[in-house]
Amino acid sequence: MLFLTRIEHFNAAHKLYNPEWSKEKNELVFGKCANENWHGHNYELHVTIKGEVAADTGFVINAKILSSLINDFVLEKLDHKNLNMDVPFLKGKMCSTENLAIEIWKQLLPHLPEGVQMHCIKLYETPRIFVEYFGN
Ligand code: NI
């Protein structure tokens, strides 16, 4: 079993705001992230897949294929977008880095070539804060 990671970047705006709570409670729980007029992050995304190395290519996955899957199913939908308003797969969800990582996993999983499995979505919201999702 071999693991391969592709690193990508995207920029996006969001706010953390639970509409079922008062303005005061939102500000208490989410602080600056509850700012009604949005704020942005430079996200760094690490997509790690795993599988066996094929004898004929020496690859676990063709890195160009992985790159275009990430581009088509993740970056095209998130980069320079407002996560709360522009992204169908985040509709109705809190736009936290945690939920974003889970949804990125779900977007990529059905498109991986046969024999290739998702291992981890690691998503940096800032250079000092990241989440990791392993599928459960
Ligand atoms: Ni934020």
Side-chain angles (χ1 to χ4, degrees):
M1 183 73 67
L2 184 130
F3 298 75
L4 181 144
T5 300
R6 172 90 193 171
I7 301 176
E8 299 284 356
H9 295 271
F10 61 94
N11 308 309
H14 79 153
K15 67 179 167 185
L16 291 176
Y17 200 92
N18 186 331
E20 297 188 357
W21 294 350
S22 68
K23 192 170 161 54
E24 291 70 27
K25 183 167 180 184
N26 273 287
E27 284 173 359
L28 187 68
V29 174
F30 298 124
K32 284 182 179 175
C33 286
N35 175 24
E36 273 181 61
N37 293 327
W38 319 103
H39 65 279
H41 293 283
N42 298 313
Y43 291 95
E44 184 170 285
L45 171 63
H46 296 213
V47 175
T48 304
I49 58 86
K50 62 186 174 185
E52 299 300 332
V53 176
D56 55 350
T57 58
F59 293 163
V60 64
I61 187 171
N62 184 322
K64 279 187 188 167
I65 291 175
L66 180 59
S67 181
S68 52
L69 290 178
I70 297 170
N71 189 63
D72 295 353
F73 297 104
V74 177
L75 301 180
E76 281 289 324
K77 295 177 180 183
L78 299 176
D79 192 30
H80 286 72
K81 297 288 168 63
N82 178 316
L83 301 180
N84 298 74
M85 300 176 73
D86 299 335
V87 184
F89 63 77
L90 292 171
K91 212 173 175 72
K93 297 193 165 70
M94 293 297 293
C95 290
S96 62
T97 307
E98 290 87 334
N99 278 340
L100 194 47
I102 293 169
E103 295 307 314
I104 290 171
W105 174 290
K106 288 184 189 166
Q107 291 302 304
L108 288 173
L109 187 63
H111 303 290
L112 291 179
E114 210 181 319
V116 176
Q117 297 167 263
M118 287 291 293
H119 176 64
C120 181
I121 295 294
K122 183 194 273 195
L123 184 61
Y124 285 79
E125 178 180 295
T126 75
R128 291 167 180 237
I129 301 178
F130 64 87
V131 301
E132 290 173 292
Y133 182 60
F134 296 92
N136 52 41

PDB file of all heavy atoms in Angstrom, residues 14-16 32-33 39-41 43 95 97 125, ligand 1:
ATOM      1  N   HIS A  14     -16.336  33.313   3.858  1.00  0.00           N
ATOM      2  CA  HIS A  14     -17.423  32.662   4.595  1.00  0.00           C
ATOM      3  C   HIS A  14     -17.749  33.456   5.847  1.00  0.00           C
ATOM      4  O   HIS A  14     -17.108  34.452   6.148  1.00  0.00           O
ATOM      5  CB  HIS A  14     -17.074  31.201   4.951  1.00  0.00           C
ATOM      6  CG  HIS A  14     -16.170  31.037   6.124  1.00  0.00           C
ATOM      7  ND1 HIS A  14     -16.150  29.914   6.917  1.00  0.00           N
ATOM      8  CD2 HIS A  14     -15.242  31.860   6.665  1.00  0.00           C
ATOM      9  CE1 HIS A  14     -15.260  30.045   7.882  1.00  0.00           C
ATOM     10  NE2 HIS A  14     -14.682  31.213   7.750  1.00  0.00           N
ATOM     11  N   LYS A  15     -18.768  32.999   6.543  1.00  0.00           N
ATOM     12  CA  LYS A  15     -18.972  33.419   7.929  1.00  0.00           C
ATOM     13  C   LYS A  15     -19.516  32.224   8.680  1.00  0.00           C
ATOM     14  O   LYS A  15     -20.118  31.309   8.086  1.00  0.00           O
ATOM     15  CB  LYS A  15     -19.908  34.618   8.037  1.00  0.00           C
ATOM     16  CG  LYS A  15     -21.343  34.358   7.641  1.00  0.00           C
ATOM     17  CD  LYS A  15     -22.159  35.636   7.825  1.00  0.00           C
ATOM     18  CE  LYS A  15     -23.516  35.486   7.141  1.00  0.00           C
ATOM     19  NZ  LYS A  15     -24.290  36.731   7.193  1.00  0.00           N
ATOM     20  N   LEU A  16     -19.268  32.224   9.976  1.00  0.00           N
ATOM     21  CA  LEU A  16     -19.827  31.187  10.837  1.00  0.00           C
ATOM     22  C   LEU A  16     -20.975  31.835  11.598  1.00  0.00           C
ATOM     23  O   LEU A  16     -20.757  32.735  12.416  1.00  0.00           O
ATOM     24  CB  LEU A  16     -18.761  30.661  11.805  1.00  0.00           C
ATOM     25  CG  LEU A  16     -17.640  29.859  11.135  1.00  0.00           C
ATOM     26  CD1 LEU A  16     -16.587  29.473  12.151  1.00  0.00           C
ATOM     27  CD2 LEU A  16     -18.203  28.610  10.455  1.00  0.00           C
ATOM     28  N   LYS A  32     -14.994  36.766  15.864  1.00  0.00           N
ATOM     29  CA  LYS A  32     -14.845  37.512  14.618  1.00  0.00           C
ATOM     30  C   LYS A  32     -15.395  36.757  13.421  1.00  0.00           C
ATOM     31  O   LYS A  32     -15.759  37.358  12.413  1.00  0.00           O
ATOM     32  CB  LYS A  32     -13.367  37.795  14.358  1.00  0.00           C
ATOM     33  CG  LYS A  32     -12.783  38.886  15.207  1.00  0.00           C
ATOM     34  CD  LYS A  32     -11.330  39.095  14.794  1.00  0.00           C
ATOM     35  CE  LYS A  32     -10.689  40.206  15.600  1.00  0.00           C
ATOM     36  NZ  LYS A  32      -9.260  40.325  15.275  1.00  0.00           N
ATOM     37  N   CYS A  33     -15.404  35.441  13.496  1.00  0.00           N
ATOM     38  CA  CYS A  33     -15.880  34.633  12.359  1.00  0.00           C
ATOM     39  C   CYS A  33     -17.380  34.797  12.127  1.00  0.00           C
ATOM     40  O   CYS A  33     -17.895  34.376  11.095  1.00  0.00           O
ATOM     41  CB  CYS A  33     -15.538  33.163  12.568  1.00  0.00           C
ATOM     42  SG  CYS A  33     -13.799  32.841  12.327  1.00  0.00           S
ATOM     43  N   HIS A  39     -15.630  37.194   5.839  1.00  0.00           N
ATOM     44  CA  HIS A  39     -14.167  37.307   5.890  1.00  0.00           C
ATOM     45  C   HIS A  39     -13.626  36.162   5.048  1.00  0.00           C
ATOM     46  O   HIS A  39     -14.369  35.250   4.680  1.00  0.00           O
ATOM     47  CB  HIS A  39     -13.649  37.234   7.333  1.00  0.00           C
ATOM     48  CG  HIS A  39     -13.893  35.904   7.977  1.00  0.00           C
ATOM     49  ND1 HIS A  39     -15.102  35.566   8.524  1.00  0.00           N
ATOM     50  CD2 HIS A  39     -13.108  34.814   8.109  1.00  0.00           C
ATOM     51  CE1 HIS A  39     -15.035  34.332   8.997  1.00  0.00           C
ATOM     52  NE2 HIS A  39     -13.845  33.847   8.746  1.00  0.00           N
ATOM     53  N   GLY A  40     -12.347  36.205   4.748  1.00  0.00           N
ATOM     54  CA  GLY A  40     -11.793  35.200   3.835  1.00  0.00           C
ATOM     55  C   GLY A  40     -10.652  34.409   4.432  1.00  0.00           C
ATOM     56  O   GLY A  40     -10.085  34.796   5.460  1.00  0.00           O
ATOM     57  N   HIS A  41     -10.366  33.280   3.799  1.00  0.00           N
ATOM     58  CA  HIS A  41      -9.216  32.451   4.180  1.00  0.00           C
ATOM     59  C   HIS A  41      -8.481  32.012   2.929  1.00  0.00           C
ATOM     60  O   HIS A  41      -9.087  31.814   1.878  1.00  0.00           O
ATOM     61  CB  HIS A  41      -9.661  31.187   4.924  1.00  0.00           C
ATOM     62  CG  HIS A  41     -10.257  31.461   6.263  1.00  0.00           C
ATOM     63  ND1 HIS A  41      -9.501  31.777   7.373  1.00  0.00           N
ATOM     64  CD2 HIS A  41     -11.546  31.474   6.676  1.00  0.00           C
ATOM     65  CE1 HIS A  41     -10.293  31.978   8.396  1.00  0.00           C
ATOM     66  NE2 HIS A  41     -11.552  31.794   8.017  1.00  0.00           N
ATOM     67  N   TYR A  43      -7.056  28.854   1.977  1.00  0.00           N
ATOM     68  CA  TYR A  43      -7.064  27.454   2.403  1.00  0.00           C
ATOM     69  C   TYR A  43      -5.960  26.677   1.690  1.00  0.00           C
ATOM     70  O   TYR A  43      -5.702  26.909   0.503  1.00  0.00           O
ATOM     71  CB  TYR A  43      -8.400  26.802   2.060  1.00  0.00           C
ATOM     72  CG  TYR A  43      -9.586  27.293   2.862  1.00  0.00           C
ATOM     73  CD1 TYR A  43     -10.412  28.298   2.371  1.00  0.00           C
ATOM     74  CD2 TYR A  43      -9.881  26.733   4.101  1.00  0.00           C
ATOM     75  CE1 TYR A  43     -11.520  28.742   3.092  1.00  0.00           C
ATOM     76  CE2 TYR A  43     -10.986  27.176   4.826  1.00  0.00           C
ATOM     77  CZ  TYR A  43     -11.796  28.173   4.314  1.00  0.00           C
ATOM     78  OH  TYR A  43     -12.884  28.602   5.030  1.00  0.00           O
ATOM     79  N   CYS A  95     -20.429  26.499   7.614  1.00  0.00           N
ATOM     80  CA  CYS A  95     -19.244  26.504   6.735  1.00  0.00           C
ATOM     81  C   CYS A  95     -17.949  26.515   7.539  1.00  0.00           C
ATOM     82  O   CYS A  95     -17.098  27.394   7.371  1.00  0.00           O
ATOM     83  CB  CYS A  95     -19.303  27.675   5.774  1.00  0.00           C
ATOM     84  SG  CYS A  95     -20.592  27.456   4.545  1.00  0.00           S
ATOM     85  N   THR A  97     -14.305  24.677   8.751  1.00  0.00           N
ATOM     86  CA  THR A  97     -13.261  23.909   8.069  1.00  0.00           C
ATOM     87  C   THR A  97     -13.533  22.410   8.223  1.00  0.00           C
ATOM     88  O   THR A  97     -13.278  21.629   7.304  1.00  0.00           O
ATOM     89  CB  THR A  97     -11.883  24.297   8.638  1.00  0.00           C
ATOM     90  OG1 THR A  97     -11.774  25.716   8.559  1.00  0.00           O
ATOM     91  CG2 THR A  97     -10.755  23.687   7.832  1.00  0.00           C
ATOM     92  N   GLU A 125      -6.968  25.952   7.437  1.00  0.00           N
ATOM     93  CA  GLU A 125      -7.698  27.218   7.380  1.00  0.00           C
ATOM     94  C   GLU A 125      -6.720  28.387   7.531  1.00  0.00           C
ATOM     95  O   GLU A 125      -6.877  29.442   6.927  1.00  0.00           O
ATOM     96  CB  GLU A 125      -8.734  27.256   8.503  1.00  0.00           C
ATOM     97  CG  GLU A 125      -9.522  28.540   8.560  1.00  0.00           C
ATOM     98  CD  GLU A 125     -10.523  28.535   9.689  1.00  0.00           C
ATOM     99  OE1 GLU A 125     -11.460  27.721   9.653  1.00  0.00           O
ATOM    100  OE2 GLU A 125     -10.365  29.350  10.626  1.00  0.00           O
TER     101      GLU A 125
HETATM  102 NI    NI B   1     -13.286  31.912   9.085  1.00  0.00          NI
END
